[in-house]
Each structure stands twice: as structure tokens, then as C-alpha cells.
Amino acid sequence: MLRHLPWRRSSHFLAVVTTMLAAAVVASSVSAAQNKATAAADTAKPGNKRMTAYFDISKIVWPSPPEIARIKFLDLFTGEKIDPSLFQKKKKKQSWMDRMAGQQPLEDMKIDKLPFQLIRTYGVAVDSKGRIYAADQGVDAIFIFDPDHKDHVELIGNGKQANFEMIVGLALDDTDRLFVSDAKMRHIVVFNRKHEQEAQFGTDVLVRPGGIAIDNENRFLYVADSGNDVIDVFDADTYKYLRQIGKPSHKHEQTDPGTFSLPEAVAVDADGNVYVTDTFNDRVEIFDAEGNFISMFGKIGDAPADFERPKGIAVDGDGHIWVVDAGPNQVKVFNPSGRLLIYFGGQGYYPGQFMGPWGITIDKFNFVLVSETFPGRVQMFRYVTDEEYAAEKKKREEEAGQERAASGQKAASAQPASSSTKDSAAKQ
């Protein structure tokens, strides 16, 4: 794991840590006093036991039981593992000058050993090994999480593997090359699978690049250029600029179909169709692989199917369109025609809730990753496919049929003998 890298530490994060430490000390003192005061009362009442609540994250599903779950919460990622020993008080021995001056020794905390944590997270992507990549503007680094080994976190950071100013979008191709958009430097940076920088391009075209996506079949790289209200298309191997989708503009006022007003993110399905979140128009626009307009859906509003600043977008293996709707802090799932199928989330810090969601990606194993800009974290969900849903539905129907048959047999065996049966028994 890469540690002690010379990147910009967030003063906000250090301030939060300091505040938490101070609060912990006060809370510890108050808690100790309260425990002593209540200990006698607890022993005086043998039946008075403290209740402990446990939060079972495996039960967080959508829709709620008894419906068959289509989305399951799995885990969340916030940064490197925190070592509590780093925050233990270690007093320095007072010198004679300190004693003469009446000064207390300062606590010894090595700032350079503090773990890196997500602060303001935007783009998110997954490689062929299932590792999660999260672009964080607060740390100026790309965090790499291994879901199977959460203690192991790697980082691609400013001043180490590359120079970043404002990283936004992430995308990985089928060889695990990593593409990163930088809004301030107005270019795309490419890293090989060893996370070594091998190219950068686009400065002569891009104005303010945001979300990006790769069509592995046609070898296209799509870049949502929110500063120019277009989608720029590059060759994913030669990095040559190919064309634009939409009409260039800096005013964010275009509303005609096929044009954009601050496009934030882009996604590609298995057929090469392109999906764009047209953020200021509160809609999703769909194009074919040649850039021809196909259809669009969505409008501003507070109904479940409406949008209020859509951001990230992804398409699952069944062709459903997943959209991060930042206004209500929700993720909404639509069919290709734009009909809302399900939505989840809402403002909050609990698992399955969001605070400023931005990016979303879905890997080949149907894991869904959603990034958040305010608490700085990435949440992992599992999409239950149409095939899995059909199998579970069939299983439940068969079990219900067997239960009905068993109940019918039990009821029949409990029926009293008929009159004819009674007469024949009496004659015998």
C-alpha cells in the first residue's frame, strides 16, 4: 500500500479530526461520571438492563419484504483504516524552561501518519478484478478499494503518479487502463494497469470535462464537456478527437432535442447507445453509436419520475437506466422507454441514504457503486437481475402451491366420515 505521499492534506479534514478528538475527551469524562452515578441504581434494580440496538445491513433491500428484492445494500467505503492508537494522548516531558514559564506540554500527534479519508467524491469506476476507484477532489487523489480486503487501500495522488487540479470522471477499459478527466486542467489523463501515467490529451478541445465513459466494442471514449454543452468523442486507443454530439455553447440555455444544457455524465450500453444526463434541462437523452439522436425522457418536478439536477448515469445488463438525482438525493431506475421502475435513497447518512450523490457505475457482476460528495463515501449495492427475479418468483409460486396442496390434504383427512360410510360400518 502506498503511504505518506506528498499530497495536499485537507485542512477541513484535520479540523474535523481535532473537533472529534476534543468532543471525545469531553464525552468520555461526562460518560464516566454518568456511569458511576447510575451504577448504584442499576444494581438496586436487578431487572433494569440496558438495551442495545443492532443494525442488520443485510436487511436493507428495495422493495421491502414480502416483495422480491431488486436492490440490496452491501457495503460502504470511506477511506484508509483508522488506527485508534494514533489519537491516544502522548504527553511530552516538560523541560525546565516550560516549567519556569508555566506551560503545559503539547500532545504529540504525527499528522503525516493520519489515514487518508474520502472528503468530496465524484467519479467512480470498477476494474476487472472488482476493485473500486473513487475520484476525490478534497484529497486530490483516486482511492482504490478492494472489497475483499477493506484494510488495503491504494491511492493515485497529486504530486506522485500525476498532477491533478480537479479530478471528476473515471472510466476503465477492458484492459484496465484508467481514464481520468480533470476539469481545471482541461484534459484526460491515462494510466496503465500498474497505475503509471502513459498519456494525456484533450486540452485543445475540452473546456470543462466531467463524466466519461468507454465503448469497449467500438473503442470510443465519451467525455461530457459541461463547459461547452457537448459530448466530445475520442478514439480510446489513439486518443484522436473524432466528433461532437450536440451543439457547442457556453450559456447553458439550449433546450432542443439533441442539444444540452450542462451535461454532467455519460454512459454506454451493450449495443453502443449513448446516454447523457442533461442536467440543467433535467432530462436524459439517448443517442446511437454514430451520435444520432434517438429519444429522451424526464422533466423538472417533485414527482418520483421527475428530475431535480440529474448527475451520474449507468446502464445495467438488462438495459435499465440508473440515474443519480442529486436534488432529492435518490437513485432512480428506468426502462429504455423512460418509465420509472424503482427508486431508493433520500437525504441522510444511514446506509442506503445519500448526501450529494454524484457518480454511479455498474460492473459485470451487477454490483452498483454510488459516490457522494458531502460525506465523502462510496456505497455498494447489488442489482437483482430480471433472470434472478424470475427464478425467485417461480420458486415462491411453487412453494406456495405445495403449501396449498398440503393444507388441502390435511383438511381432507380431518373431514368426518360420510353417512354412507357410517351405514356400511354399522351393518358390518
Side-chain angles (χ1 to χ4, degrees):
M1 179 165 56
L2 306 176
R3 291 187 178 275
H4 315 311
L5 303 179
W7 311 329
R8 184 179 66 203
R9 298 272 179 171
S10 171
S11 58
H12 168 71
F13 170 63
L14 295 179
V16 170
V17 171
T18 305
T19 305
M20 291 173 63
L21 288 173
V25 173
V26 174
S28 177
S29 302
V30 173
S31 178
Q34 290 177 341
N35 290 340
K36 290 180 180 179
T38 57
D42 288 341
T43 54
K45 299 177 182 179
N48 186 13
K49 295 183 178 180
R50 293 179 181 270
M51 300 299 292
T52 302
Y54 294 94
F55 198 75
D56 187 357
I57 62 174
S58 68
K59 305 297 183 183
I60 306 176
V61 298
W62 296 267
S64 300
E67 299 294 328
I68 299 175
R70 299 307 307 267
I71 303 167
K72 301 178 180 180
F73 173 83
L74 295 182
D75 208 344
L76 58 84
F77 305 85
T78 57
E80 292 183 301
K81 182 179 180 181
I82 296 177
D83 182 0
S85 66
L86 294 174
F87 303 97
Q88 294 177 356
K89 290 184 178 180
K90 300 176 182 178
K91 293 185 178 180
K92 292 182 179 179
K93 185 178 180 180
Q94 278 184 300
S95 67
W96 66 270
M97 293 184 66
D98 289 333
R99 289 195 296 270
M100 288 288 292
Q103 294 180 346
Q104 295 294 325
L106 297 175
E107 294 179 8
D108 182 16
M109 178 184 289
K110 294 183 177 180
I111 301 299
D112 64 333
K113 289 187 177 181
L114 287 176
F116 285 95
Q117 299 290 294
L118 294 172
I119 296 176
R120 194 167 64 254
T121 317
Y122 282 81
V124 62
V126 183
D127 68 13
S128 62
K129 297 180 180 178
R131 294 180 300 182
I132 302 165
Y133 293 66
D136 194 279
Q137 292 183 6
V139 184
D140 274 347
I142 298 168
F143 287 66
I144 305 173
F145 299 98
D146 185 344
D148 295 327
H149 304 90
K150 289 190 68 175
D151 291 344
H152 180 70
V153 180
E154 297 181 37
L155 297 105
I156 301 174
N158 182 41
K160 185 64 177 180
Q161 292 92 340
N163 293 317
F164 297 131
E165 286 289 338
M166 184 182 287
I167 47 179
V168 183
L170 299 179
L172 286 142
D173 70 5
D174 49 6
T175 64
D176 283 344
R177 283 190 305 161
L178 174 64
F179 293 74
V180 183
S181 66
D182 192 310
K184 279 192 175 181
M185 300 189 78
R186 299 174 48 229
H187 65 201
I188 306 297
V189 185
V190 186
F191 298 89
N192 62 25
R193 60 191 311 160
K194 295 181 180 180
H195 305 149
E196 301 166 337
Q197 182 176 334
E198 64 178 27
Q200 64 182 42
F201 62 93
T203 307
D204 56 335
V205 175
L206 301 170
V207 177
R208 189 179 177 85
I212 58 179
I214 293 179
D215 180 346
N216 285 306
E217 185 68 25
N218 296 307
R219 306 308 300 168
F220 295 145
L221 170 71
Y222 294 95
V223 182
D225 193 344
S226 59
N228 202 24
D229 287 341
V230 295
I231 302 299
D232 291 309
V233 187
F234 296 86
D235 186 297
D237 298 312
T238 65
Y239 316 131
K240 179 183 178 181
Y241 172 71
L242 301 176
R243 63 179 184 274
Q244 286 180 335
I245 301 176
K247 181 180 178 182
S249 171
H250 303 294
K251 298 181 178 180
H252 311 313
E253 294 177 347
Q254 301 179 115
T255 59
D256 293 336
T259 66
F260 309 106
S261 178
L262 199 84
E264 287 269 18
V266 59
V268 182
D269 68 12
D271 296 323
N273 296 316
V274 183
Y275 301 76
V276 181
T277 48
D278 188 7
T279 301
F280 277 6
N281 284 323
D282 294 290
R283 66 189 182 187
V284 170
E285 297 195 60
I286 306 173
F287 303 81
D288 65 19
E290 300 300 322
N292 300 308
F293 176 79
I294 297 176
S295 63
M296 64 183 183
F297 64 88
K299 62 181 179 63
I300 189 171
D302 56 6
D306 294 338
F307 290 127
E308 187 180 351
R309 298 295 182 264
K311 302 287 185 177
I313 189 168
V315 183
D316 64 34
D318 291 325
H320 304 128
I321 306 162
W322 299 58
V323 182
V324 172
D325 199 3
N329 289 285
Q330 294 174 339
V331 173
K332 301 178 178 181
V333 186
F334 300 84
N335 70 4
S337 299
R339 181 170 66 87
L340 180 66
L341 303 176
I342 193 173
Y343 64 95
F344 63 100
Q347 182 173 323
Y349 295 97
Y350 287 111
Q353 295 180 323
F354 304 109
M355 291 293 291
W358 196 92
I360 185 171
T361 190
I362 304 173
D363 73 0
K364 60 183 179 181
F365 301 109
N366 303 305
F367 292 115
V368 181
L369 286 306
V370 180
S371 65
E372 297 171 79
T373 58
F374 292 157
R377 64 181 181 179
V378 173
Q379 296 195 54
M380 173 186 279
F381 304 86
R382 170 68 158 79
Y383 162 59
V384 178
T385 65
D386 290 345
E387 183 179 357
E388 292 171 327
Y389 171 83
E392 178 63 22
K393 183 179 180 181
K394 182 180 179 181
K395 175 185 174 184
R396 291 190 183 188
E397 289 174 347
E398 291 175 348
E399 291 175 347
Q402 293 172 357
E403 290 178 0
R404 286 194 297 270
S407 298
Q409 293 175 357
K410 185 176 181 180
S413 63
Q415 289 285 340
S418 65
S419 57
S420 59
T421 304
K422 290 180 180 179
D423 292 342
S424 60
K427 290 179 181 178
Q428 291 177 359

